[in-house]
Amino acid sequence: MGQNVKSSERLRPVDLARAHGLSTQAIRNYEQAGILPAADRTPHGYRTYTPLHARALEAFLALVPGHGHRTATAIMRAVNEGAAEEAFRLIDESHAQLLDDRRTLRAVENALRALVPTEEVPASGETFIGPLAEQLGIRPATLRAWERAGLVRPRRDPLTGYRVYDGAAVRDARLTHQLRRGGHLLEQIAPLLTEVRSAGGLEPLEAALRTWRDRLSSRGRSLLTGAAGLEAYLHADG
């Protein structure tokens, strides 16, 4: 894949770097990470690149906004190692995550519309810090940090001292998690949750949810742009 470029044109690391406002060290790092195919060397040991490497770099930079640096790196490494199915699996995971985030946004909007401040949460809905952290894909330390910031309010079991998260605390943890993923700072989230607790309803979060929705749309467009860049690299012919 992406290995049928026949151009004999040779490019220096600085040629690739300047075209994208990068440093030559970044180009070397990308090659070492497997983002770029291995470069040829001159008799004096200098790296030489080709238009294929330029296409690889363009593909990687197109993938980063939608997939993130780590996943984009893994995608390019898989492609360069001939593991196309692994690359496609990683791409599918990013799309699945975006779809899940859209569903979560919709669920949050619906939940907030129906939220009643005095809502009683059944004991069967309680959970502990470990299972909740695992469910959210975060560390227990993160939940403790949110608690210190006043975002999540678990109670303490009087016998064991363990944190117990009822339905309201789980709701607050989920909202905090999603708003953090949407780029909001803890100090921005705190007043939103205070409003949700005291007033109930969607209005206090409308601006944040609108921003969140816009971010999801932007990520969707970025995934399309990344796919186009990768497709160009996979079919590079010089």
Side-chain angles (χ1 to χ4, degrees), residues 129-190:
I129 190 168
L132 180 57
E134 182 177 359
Q135 188 178 69
L136 295 176
I138 60 177
R139 297 178 301 167
T142 300
L143 279 172
R144 290 192 287 269
W146 293 350
E147 180 182 349
R148 289 193 297 272
L151 304 179
V152 183
R153 299 175 178 176
R155 66 176 180 84
R156 293 279 187 162
D157 186 285
L159 296 180
T160 65
Y162 293 158
R163 292 173 172 83
V164 180
Y165 297 79
D166 62 13
V170 170
R171 176 206 65 206
D172 291 347
R174 287 185 177 279
L175 287 175
T176 298
H177 179 50
Q178 292 300 328
L179 290 169
R180 287 290 289 145
R181 290 185 61 175
H184 291 77
L185 303 176
L186 295 184
E187 53 265 34
Q188 295 173 320
I189 296 172

Side-chain angles (χ1 to χ4, degrees), residues 186-238:
L186 295 184
E187 53 265 34
Q188 295 173 320
I189 296 172
L192 296 174
L193 289 179
T194 298
E195 291 295 329
V196 169
R197 293 179 184 129
S198 62
L202 184 60
E203 185 176 355
L205 277 177
E206 279 188 350
L209 293 174
R210 186 164 52 250
T211 299
W212 182 6
R213 194 179 303 110
D214 290 344
R215 286 178 181 272
L216 294 182
S217 296
S218 178
R219 197 186 337 156
R221 290 192 297 271
S222 294
L223 288 174
L224 290 177
T225 300
L230 185 61
E231 178 75 1
Y233 176 52
L234 294 177
H235 293 88
D237 59 6

